[in-house]
Amino acid sequence: MKNNNEMLALFENYLAQMQLPEEPQLLYQPIIYAMSAGGKRIRPTLLLLSCEAFGGDVRDAMSAAAAVEMFHNFTLLHDDIMDNALVRRGKPSVYAEWGENVAILSGDAMMIYAYKLLRNVPDEKLPRIMDIFSEMALQVCEGQQYDMDFEHLKKVAVAEYMNMIELKTSVLLAGSAMIGAVMGGASEEDCRKIYRYALELGLAFQLQDDLLDSYGAEKVLGKKIGGDILEGKKTCLMLNAMSRATEQDREVLRHTHLDTSLSAEQKIARVKEVYDRYDIPHIINQQITTRFERALTILSTLDIPAERTVYLKEFAQNLMGREK
Amino acid sequence: MKNNNEMLALFENYLAQMQLPEEPQLLYQPIIYAMSAGGKRIRPTLLLLSCEAFGGDVRDAMSAAAAVEMFHNFTLLHDDIMDNALVRRGKPSVYAEWGENVAILSGDAMMIYAYKLLRNVPDEKLPRIMDIFSEMALQVCEGQQYDMDFEHLKKVAVAEYMNMIELKTSVLLAGSAMIGAVMGGASEEDCRKIYRYALELGLAFQLQDDLLDSYGAEKVLGKKIGGDILEGKKTCLMLNAMSRATEQDREVLRHTHLDTSLSAEQKIARVKEVYDRYDIPHIINQQITTRFERALTILSTLDIPAERTVYLKEFAQNLMGREK
């Protein structure tokens, strides 16, 4: 069996050999640019680890792994247009480099190409894998729409936020894990379990992402903390705090980012003071740990020997930057 | 067997019963809006006629027919953003009604939904039909990119233009016809032939579209003629004229639409005078007739009784507004 790094290397090797058409250049060059810009290849790696855990041959699953990575990158291309984001992975986004029309159309071609790659799974597995893939892909769109909706809403419940991040980010991990399991010949029950494992892990990861944006170490993150606070973003910290705070503190949470009399540092400090008073970092940390441990527990209930789940456990730890 | 109108009615009935999710509203409402805005349902009708011509049960093919219609409407949503087009079928485009972000994301969801619909074909036919569909869908994107490329090019050859319209519009007709044939159990050879039939027909239709924009009867078209000339569009008339004209006449073709001293009527008259002098309407008309007749001839070579092709012949005549 291959560990996370070995699996990633195999996948990178497969991607590097993938041949896209050359013409029209403005359709395919942005795809090559986006796909070779790196990224952690989280979803294809999970798909392949899941496949191998259930005894599948990862060579048969490479194309499906490339499909989920292609799909993920397609969503980034279109998200960057919608968010007017000019930088992606430290380089100009496709939107910034080639403009909006190219980013729309190349993104469209990427999604079609994802299905084209998916088609290479064995015929008898295609219907099931297409079901999982299309369901997951639609949910990602739903999550993105809810995310955009929330920007314009005054009040978002914590449960609505959890549903949004589940759709927008976790189902893609969960679907990838499930496709890998189907490729590996897992039982229906194990497919559902591995889906749940990745869903919990994805939620833990997203909550941690929110937490680190306000409480992380800048050196480790490689970026300034407090960005979400300065944008007034409705993160899990903000929404949990809003649900617990007095009306007076809610006013602080709502308006601090708009207060032109304050410096960035002052804004961040003022909002974090409220978070701290309501113990929000601790509460979120507990939620993260609960979900992370739930994910690991699910692994132990799979109908395969424990030693086959060791790299799925490693995957979870790597993703969360945790030792145990 | 069902004629064109009966087939269209069956399809409309199927579409009307199709249930899309309700939430998030800003994702699914635009899809419902776009799909119920009418249109001629050319592609699904052709798919179903092709299926029945080869002896298939059209009820099994309804979902695939809805898939090609959904895909076609997805391309319109995204094209309208790229072209900044505010009106579609006499109503505000999704882009105009809901804005760019909604049009991007709803379009994305439509494409995924098209694959979800396609998935409902019988399992044993799914791999083949997915191949046809994805190939066709990628080619449509390529055609759209070439079309955008051409706007910025000084010189476009007639052959390049023909390749572009083949990709942008004809392959979607051709792929639809071929999917119908596969659903109907046609032989590989007949699948290729029906593809060719629809491809020729699509090209004839697109050439006629260009011709009518400058030479049609306004009453019949329901719009003013000369729009392409006023935009300086590189149509088949323009490119054929450019390839035949003297340098002096080429200057007229290139610059008349930019000449602010002329009225719209004068611009149209001046360009058409050049077209007429080089016999362009007649040349294009011949090309249309050649392709149209080639399409009908292909029908007569199919390995099915002649009476089974009668509605495919009717389809071609309806599309072109011709009696024979």
Side-chain angles (χ1 to χ4, degrees), chain A residues 158-191:
Chain A
V158 172
E160 289 174 317
Y161 180 78
M162 295 304 293
N163 180 52
M164 183 276 284
I165 61 172
E166 178 172 321
L167 292 168
K168 185 171 173 175
T169 70
S170 300
V171 296
L172 190 47
L173 268 180
S176 300
M178 199 182 203
I179 290 171
V182 171
M183 289 299 298
S187 69
E188 259 308 305
E189 198 185 337
D190 274 357
C191 284

Side-chain angles (χ1 to χ4, degrees), chain A residues 40-272:
Chain A
K40 287 172 281 178
R41 316 296 192 197
I42 292 170
R43 297 148 197 87
T45 300
L46 177 57
L47 188 153
L48 297 170
L49 289 171
S50 172
C51 172
E52 195 168 68
F54 290 102
D57 186 333
V58 293
R59 286 171 301 185
D60 300 336
M62 280 294 164
S63 181
V68 298
E69 183 66 10
M70 185 71 85
F71 177 81
H72 171 60
N73 279 276
F74 140 73
T75 65
L76 299 182
L77 246 74
H78 281 190
D79 284 3
D80 284 346
I81 307 169
M82 293 185 245
D83 301 341
N84 200 16
L86 303 177
V87 176
R88 170 67 63 187
R89 293 166 182 152
K91 291 164 61 180
S93 63
V94 168
Y95 166 60
E97 186 77 10
W98 281 280
E100 182 182 311
N101 285 0
V102 165
I104 292 175
L105 195 62
S106 291
D108 292 344
M110 287 174 90
M111 200 214 282
I112 298 164
Y113 213 87
Y115 275 101
K116 196 174 151 89
L117 287 163
L118 201 68
R119 152 69 181 99
N120 293 328
V121 303
D123 285 359
E124 74 278 9
K125 294 196 162 123
L126 184 60
R128 176 99 177 90
I129 286 177
M130 262 193 86
D131 282 341
I132 301 168
F133 191 91
S134 292
E135 189 64 28
M136 160 184 104
L138 267 182
Q139 287 178 325
V140 171
C141 292
E142 293 175 2
Q144 169 70 5
Q145 185 58 54
Y146 282 125
D147 196 13
M148 295 197 298
D149 287 348
F150 289 176
E151 283 174 34
H152 308 290
L153 288 183
K154 273 208 169 150
K155 195 169 152 49
V156 175
V158 172
E160 289 174 317
Y161 180 78
M162 295 304 293
N163 180 52
M164 183 276 284
I165 61 172
E166 178 172 321
L167 292 168
K168 185 171 173 175
T169 70
S170 300
V171 296
L172 190 47
L173 268 180
S176 300
M178 199 182 203
I179 290 171
V182 171
M183 289 299 298
S187 69
E188 259 308 305
E189 198 185 337
D190 274 357
C191 284
R192 275 195 300 274
K193 284 179 178 172
I194 201 88
Y195 184 91
R196 198 74 220 165
Y197 146 84
L199 201 67
E200 294 288 357
L201 194 58
L203 288 168
F205 178 74
Q206 192 59 45
L207 292 176
Q208 179 165 284
D209 202 51
D210 281 2
L211 183 63
L212 292 178
D213 194 88
S214 296
Y215 287 90
E218 294 189 348
K219 271 198 183 156
V220 181
L221 289 180
K223 65 169 184 179
K224 288 231 170 253
I225 67 158
D228 289 347
I229 291 174
L230 295 176
E231 284 179 46
K233 263 182 85 171
K234 298 188 186 77
T235 64
C236 68
L237 304 178
M238 176 63 80
L239 298 173
N240 272 280
M242 289 292 284
S243 75
R244 286 168 169 83
T246 61
E247 180 50 32
Q248 200 183 344
D249 284 333
R250 282 209 291 268
E251 276 303 302
V252 175
L253 294 172
R254 266 187 217 115
H255 294 123
T256 298
H257 75 285
L258 300 169
D259 187 341
T260 51
S261 73
L262 299 176
S263 70
E265 285 69 27
Q266 286 171 320
K267 289 178 184 175
I268 295 169
R270 183 165 299 185
V271 170
K272 283 175 73 172

